[in-house]
Amino acid sequence: MRMAYLLAALAFLVATPVKALPVTPGVSLELALERKARLSDVFYALTFIIPANKDENITARETVRFALTSAKGDLQLDFRERAEKIQAVTVNGTRTQPDHRAEHLVLPAALLREGENVVEIEFVAGDSSLNRNPDYLYTLFVPDRARTAFPVFDQPDLKARYDLTLDIPATWQALANARLKSSETVNGRTTLRFATSDLIPSYLFSFVAGRFEVVERTVRGRPMRLLHRETDPEKIARSLDTIFEQHAAALQWMEDYSGIPYPFHKFDFVAIPAFQYGGMEHVGAIQYDAEDLFLEKDPSEPQQLARANLIAHETAHMWFGDLVTMKWFDDVWTKEVFANFMAAKMVNPGFPGIDHDLNFLLRSFPAAYAVDRTAGANPILQSLRNLNEAGTLYGGIIYNKAPIMMRQLEMIVGEEGFRAGMREYLATFANGNATWPELVAILDKRTPADLARWSEVWVSTAGRPDFVLNRDNRLEQRDPENRGRIWAQRFDVLGTQSREIEIDGRPVAMGANKLLFNSDGRGYGLFPVDPSLIAARWGGLTHLQKGAQLVNLYEQMLEGDRKVTPRSHFKFLVERLADEDNELLLGTMLRQAGTTFWRYLPERERSANVKPLEDVLWTRLNDATLPASTRKLYLSTLRDVSLSSAMLDRIEAIWAGKLEFPGISLSEREKTDFAAALAIKRPEGAEVVLKAQMARLSNPDDRRRLTYLLPSLSADPAVRERFFASLAEEANRANESWVLTALSYLHHPLRTAHSQRFVRPSLDMLEEIQATGDIFFPEGWAAGNLSNHSSPRVAADIRDFLAKRPTYNRQLRLKILQAADPVFRAERLKN
């Protein structure tokens, strides 16, 4: 794809006359190359008139300026909306009848000219990516959604500058990529004019408007603004200092590491309730999920680290992604891996109490394996023919395997060589676009290793290796697809001592029989395990060694290793929960225990196994010597797994405030989670509990959220069925975070006998979900509707759906296979 892109671009540059392209939906690679060859100096002036009522249209005006190297041939502007929303079009001073076809506004060649062109458009803005709520809205245009709101050349290598004007209710605030230039209020309306933006790709153009509180601070000499809607004064007070300081620290670190001062005119951010992602790196106007910035009381150190990582990740994007942008969205993973990789380097020193190697292991490897172990595994680098499928490229591989790969790459090049390469990369392509091979070429100069060959396996192919001991007691790496691939890497093996081994294709002599493999957590693959040896040595292992073995055990359990059954692994975890204090290990052990309990133990065994788990969780929750954050981990797991009548009585008492624990307080959102658990587990009392919880909520956004979720929590199956049917309407999926929460309630493990009827319709809807939803929604939709199931009927439904659609969209097929992997494994493990 990379070479095809460059050769095709060259062909377009030298071709004359310009070939007329067909007008087809989306933004094809061919269209992107043709426009890149013809277009330069793109500029947009946009005015949006936003009414207070979210059901009223947003009217808009636009002026697009650009230079053309050739006027021979029509030019397509992208606009994925109904043709009637375009009210007037003027090209170079001549009014013309709008020609809207297949998601494009076609500008006729007869009105174009070489050199500068000016197009003026009056239109009604599309709503699908404006995220309109009763008293606020925010744009979210990644990867190709700008074209749903206004006519635009919507591809990452046509960077442009923007002049933005917003006409909003006088009680609203607004934030955009550029600084506010002027503000004028007349008759209850405010007109905000923003300065010309920096040079940015269309997916990073952004604005937010609505009822927000504004906080302005200058930290380390850097002025910053935060917009938020949080109503809890204590939560605000305990969060603001940290939020601003961590942003300032991240900016300073990136300037030092890159050698490039912050490259844009301003730096602000906004906290949005139920935001689709953790964050989005809009230039000068970062958007965050409010819950990820404003933490609940007594957050654990890992939770605080996660917030710091998120802030550092989005800040790093200002350089990796915003200053230097991928040429085409098949390289979208590069900006994400750089941001993740830099974020870890930034924040880790500020949390000396955390084992960061352990955190990296437990955060990245299980999530990467969750994709790479499946029949739907995808490589880090995927091909992309049309931007309308770019959202399907996102997932666990981009965000979790890519950082693992990058760490291995840094070990090959060396830390200093890697940093020098990053500096050269940023300096060379600043304010422009780059590809992965261009970075590999820069790094290749700094190592004798063949990075192109190494990258071919790690980056361009899917899956993970299997490590096995052969008859000669040598460790072999095997390709599960028998393609002869070698994932060159280094990791430790622990016998009486620890030693590093390097895998380069040849079996490695082990020299001992009782070994713990990948004991330092650096290796990537499926490793042999000896459960009895792990249990015997457990007390003498470091936290990192324990974490690596937890991952190894769980992966072998899922592979069906007879030595690691769901029953034995669940018992292993319960026995060790009573003695574990490290919150990183504890979080992983609790997740594995909960998942094994609900997904992989036969239902008939739940009642027999839940009491030992309940008992250890309850005992640890009441241990006043433990930090409040640690006890909260036990409490949330207890809420989720409790089944016995006695323990549910306690859960209800905790929700009602009749049973409290010293040092632990529950927020409104946390109490809603308790109410939801009670509604599912005690359906006879669901209506009373949910009504009482609604009355408790003071935050209007939380009230709207619970109102939406109520049908999915109903004890009446008919109500739940009507709710699921309502999701066929795009308008009922507007808040994707709420939808995914509702799916978790509909498909709760205690409800799967009923909810299996939703599985086939959910698959039928997936193509439309992908066409209308944001980037993570198709994956979340598939997982939310599939992964708690284990019945042969559901497994058969999934297989039948795919078998009857041999030409089904490849990327969506992979998403289904990834989401269905727990279903298929549970089917095997339970029988």
Side-chain angles (χ1 to χ4, degrees), residues 449-569:
D450 185 347
L451 290 187
R453 180 181 177 186
W454 179 90
S455 174
E456 181 62 29
V457 173
W458 273 96
V459 177
S460 300
T461 68
R464 64 182 182 182
D466 293 342
F467 290 93
V468 296
L469 278 173
N470 63 23
R471 293 179 180 178
D472 298 325
N473 202 36
R474 293 175 178 268
L475 188 68
E476 292 184 5
Q477 185 188 113
R478 295 180 181 174
D479 181 351
E481 296 182 10
N482 296 315
R483 294 163 56 187
R485 295 174 296 173
I486 296 296
W487 287 260
Q489 53 184 298
R490 303 173 192 168
F491 53 82
D492 285 1
V493 174
L494 180 64
T496 54
Q497 297 181 15
S498 180
R499 71 181 177 107
E500 181 182 78
I501 64 172
E502 183 171 357
I503 297 295
D504 60 3
R506 295 166 295 183
V508 180
M510 290 293 97
N513 293 320
K514 295 185 177 182
L515 298 171
L516 300 181
F517 293 96
N518 194 31
S519 55
D520 62 347
R522 287 185 295 163
Y524 190 80
L526 182 67
F527 291 90
V529 294
D530 180 342
S532 61
L533 176 63
I534 293 171
R537 298 193 61 174
W538 189 260
L541 299 180
T542 66
H543 290 147
L544 180 60
Q545 291 165 348
K546 287 180 180 180
Q549 300 316 306
L550 281 173
V551 173
N552 291 347
L553 285 167
Y554 190 73
E555 292 303 311
Q556 286 291 1
M557 179 194 80
L558 294 180
E559 288 297 313
D561 188 324
R562 294 182 181 180
K563 300 188 298 295
V564 195
T565 66
R567 297 176 186 85
S568 68
H569 189 55

Side-chain angles (χ1 to χ4, degrees), residues 305-382:
L305 175 63
R307 175 174 61 186
N309 258 309
L310 174 61
I311 289 171
H313 176 104
E314 302 306 334
T315 303
H317 269 312
M318 299 299 111
W319 284 260
F320 293 101
D322 294 8
L323 178 64
V324 178
T325 307
M326 62 275 165
K327 285 183 179 176
W328 187 238
F329 256 91
D330 55 353
D331 264 334
V332 65
W333 66 274
T334 57
K335 74 181 182 72
E336 298 304 328
V337 70
F338 295 149
N340 266 345
F341 199 67
M342 296 302 156
K345 287 179 176 291
M346 271 186 249
V347 304
N348 288 358
F351 291 82
I354 287 183
D355 183 332
H356 294 290
D357 288 335
L358 176 64
N359 183 56
F360 183 86
L361 166 73
L362 298 180
R363 186 182 73 246
S364 301
F365 284 73
Y369 290 160
V371 178
D372 247 358
R373 76 168 82 98
T374 76
N378 60 268
I380 294 173
L381 172 61
Q382 302 179 72

Side-chain angles (χ1 to χ4, degrees), residues 579-590:
D579 300 316
E580 188 53 64
D581 294 334
N582 180 280
E583 289 187 348
L584 291 171
L585 286 173
L586 187 57
T588 294
M589 294 167 74
L590 290 170

